[in-house]
């Protein structure tokens, strides 16, 4: 009798435990604090420049991270003071090889320590942003083209099974420049300051590019030109570039740039107009065209041409990636 009573009690205990566990899981699943279905995470380059292999301090890859509440209810999440306990960067090569994490990141996450954090609340439509250096998370030791994304942990890294994925960025890490190639880095005239492209409209991009060519300022001229896309406009060059290594591809771009500067290829795009007039600008969020009339001076007449510049926006920066030319006669 006592044995039967014990078995009944034991079964009752397990049934109660399973019921409590199920209720707990159901409560966690339905808890508004753990519902992140209306949260979005997006990333973009912050103060974008040219990136090379090397230390996080000498050549950082700063990424602007934004968490947004797209739902009707208040969004709450935890954010660690040390962002390594709130986020992860992942990067893959074109061959789908994943980059290794830094030793400092691994050491922090495997060492017993107190993680300080604060709770963030976002109402409908509100955003919270911060900037992180991707090189603190990943080892960018080789020049290559990488595809990079971010994982955000709203309940911190210890609860990394709750994960929000960002969009993906294309990151080009160039070979470390030698003294011979340092002239290809755009530098402001009269200073040692490296030029940075600005978030200006497509027509301003075209205007500044033409003016830079009129003044023979090559660094400023190439600032808003996507040389890689321009190079690939020719099918033969495109196929050769696609089959090349990262280092050979970089050399192809530099050779293409040098050929443009020496006026041996695609003479229309580097021709210097006497004057120009922007006629039309049409663009969507990411693509656009700028139509420009340009006059080229000869001894006894002007040749008038219509240029159509094709522009594309990436990470807030518009760049010229192609062009077309129509002859409009002489004046």
């Amino acid at each position: 009798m006592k044995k039967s009573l014990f078995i009944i009690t034991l079964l009752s205990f397990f049934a109660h435990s399973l019921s409590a566990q199920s209720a707990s899981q159901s409560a966690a699943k339905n808890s508004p604090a753990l519902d992140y279905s209306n949260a979005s995470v997006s990333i973009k380059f912050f103060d974008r420049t040219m990136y090379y292999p090397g230390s996080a301090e000498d050549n950082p890859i700063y990424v602007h991270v934004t968490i947004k509440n797209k739902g009707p209810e208040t969004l709450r999440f935890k954010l660690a003071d040390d962002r390594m306990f709130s986020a992860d960067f992942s990067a893959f090569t074109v061959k789908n090889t994943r980059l290794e994490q830094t030793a400092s990141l691994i050491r922090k996450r495997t060492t017993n320590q107190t993680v300080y954090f604060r709770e963030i609340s976002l109402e409908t439509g509100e955003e919270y942003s911060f900037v992180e250096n991707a090189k603190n998370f990943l080892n960018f030791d080789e020049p290559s083209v990488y595809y990079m994304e971010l994982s955000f942990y709203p309940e911190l890294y210890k609860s990394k099974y709750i994960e929000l994925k960002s969009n993906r960025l294309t990151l080009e890490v160039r070979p470390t420049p030698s003294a011979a190639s340092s002239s290809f880095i755009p530098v402001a005239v009269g200073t040692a300051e490296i030029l940075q492209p600005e978030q200006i409209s497509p027509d301003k991009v075209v205007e500044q590019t033409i003016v830079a060519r009129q003044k023979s300022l090559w660094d400023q001229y190439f600032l808003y030109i996507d040389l890689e896309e321009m190079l690939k406009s020719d099918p033969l060059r495109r196929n050769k570039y696609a089959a090349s290594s990262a280092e050979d591809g970089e050399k192809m771009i530099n050779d293409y740039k040098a050929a443009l500067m020496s006026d041996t290829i695609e003479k229309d795009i580097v021709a210097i107009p006497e004057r120009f007039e922007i006629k039309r600008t049409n663009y969507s969020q990411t693509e656009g065209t700028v139509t420009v009339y340009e006059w080229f001076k000869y001894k006894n007449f002007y040749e008038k041409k219509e240029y159509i510049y094709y522009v594309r926006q990436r990470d807030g920066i518009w760049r010229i990636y192609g062009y077309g030319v129509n002859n409009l006669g002489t004046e």
Side-chain angles (χ1 to χ4, degrees):
M1 182 66 182
K2 289 183 179 180
K3 185 176 181 181
S4 299
L5 182 60
F6 173 76
I7 293 173
I8 292 171
T9 304
L10 190 62
L11 289 174
S12 175
F13 172 77
F14 279 123
H16 177 75
S17 298
L18 289 172
S19 176
Q21 182 180 2
S22 176
S24 175
Q25 291 175 344
S26 177
K29 183 177 180 181
N30 298 320
S31 170
L34 299 180
D35 182 11
Y36 300 104
S37 59
N38 290 318
S40 71
V41 177
S42 61
I43 58 175
K44 63 181 180 180
F45 291 108
F46 178 81
D47 197 18
R48 186 169 189 170
T49 183
M50 286 179 285
Y51 305 113
Y52 306 101
S55 70
E57 294 77 19
D58 295 337
N59 184 239
I61 301 176
Y62 287 124
V63 177
H64 187 271
V65 183
T66 299
I67 299 101
K68 183 175 182 178
N69 181 8
K70 301 192 298 182
E73 305 294 334
T74 301
L75 172 67
R76 295 181 175 86
F77 58 88
K78 298 180 177 68
L79 185 67
D81 293 347
D82 186 338
R83 304 288 193 260
M84 288 186 175
F85 294 99
S86 280
D88 257 332
F89 283 97
S90 301
F92 301 85
T93 67
V94 291
K95 296 182 179 179
N96 207 33
T97 302
R98 184 168 184 163
L99 285 189
E100 295 182 354
Q101 294 179 328
T102 62
S104 61
L105 176 64
I106 297 172
R107 185 169 57 251
K108 281 187 178 182
R109 290 180 175 172
T110 55
T111 302
N112 289 329
Q113 59 179 295
T114 302
V115 178
Y116 296 97
F117 66 91
R118 49 182 168 150
E119 291 189 348
I120 306 293
S121 297
L122 298 180
E123 300 302 325
T124 301
E126 289 185 340
E127 300 177 349
Y128 184 88
S129 300
F130 56 89
V131 175
E132 280 300 307
N133 184 355
K135 281 191 175 181
N136 288 331
F137 294 76
L138 298 173
N139 291 317
F140 293 93
D141 294 331
E142 299 293 334
S144 183
V145 174
Y146 298 98
Y147 303 106
M148 183 173 65
E149 59 188 15
L150 178 130
S151 296
F152 181 73
Y153 307 122
E155 294 296 317
L156 304 182
Y157 177 75
K158 62 185 177 69
S159 301
K160 63 179 181 178
Y161 55 88
I162 304 176
E163 178 184 18
L164 302 176
K165 285 280 190 180
S166 76
N167 55 302
R168 178 171 287 190
L169 298 178
T170 300
L171 167 67
E172 182 182 4
V173 177
R174 298 169 177 262
T176 302
S178 62
S181 64
S182 62
S183 60
F184 285 99
I185 301 176
V187 178
V189 177
T191 74
E193 180 184 358
I194 296 177
L195 294 174
Q196 299 289 348
E198 300 176 350
Q199 294 185 2
I200 56 179
S201 61
D203 56 321
K204 287 295 183 183
V205 163
V206 172
E207 178 184 352
Q208 289 194 20
T209 300
I210 297 174
V211 170
R213 184 66 192 100
Q214 288 177 322
K215 297 180 179 180
S216 297
L217 301 174
W218 286 111
D219 291 332
Q220 286 89 332
Y221 174 77
F222 287 117
L223 193 60
Y224 293 102
I225 290 184
D226 190 332
L227 285 169
E228 181 180 358
E229 289 301 315
M230 292 277 287
L231 178 148
K232 292 191 296 185
S233 63
D234 177 81
L236 292 177
R237 290 197 304 251
R238 181 172 63 246
N239 294 336
K240 183 179 179 181
Y241 182 79
S244 66
S245 64
E247 186 174 354
D248 290 340
E250 179 72 16
K251 185 178 184 301
M252 282 187 66
I253 292 175
N254 285 337
D255 289 345
Y256 174 69
K257 186 176 184 179
L260 288 175
M261 295 173 66
S262 62
D263 198 21
T264 57
I265 61 172
E266 301 193 41
K267 296 185 178 183
D268 282 324
I269 192 62
V270 292
I272 304 175
E274 175 78 9
R275 58 189 175 92
F276 66 94
E277 179 182 346
I278 295 178
K279 302 298 291 185
R280 291 184 302 278
T281 303
N282 300 302
Y283 60 97
S284 63
Q285 187 174 357
T286 57
E287 296 273 347
T289 60
V290 180
T291 302
V292 184
Y293 287 176
E294 301 185 23
W295 287 263
F296 298 87
K297 186 177 182 180
Y298 291 85
K299 186 175 182 180
N300 297 317
F301 65 92
Y302 282 94
E303 185 177 25
K304 183 180 178 182
K305 294 184 178 183
E306 178 189 60
Y307 277 70
I308 302 173
Y309 295 90
Y310 297 94
V311 294
R312 179 177 294 144
Q313 188 266 126
R314 289 181 179 174
D315 305 313
I317 304 297
W318 289 95
R319 284 187 170 87
I320 299 167
Y321 71 90
Y323 67 97
V325 183
N326 298 313
N327 290 319
L328 300 180
T330 60
E331 294 181 356

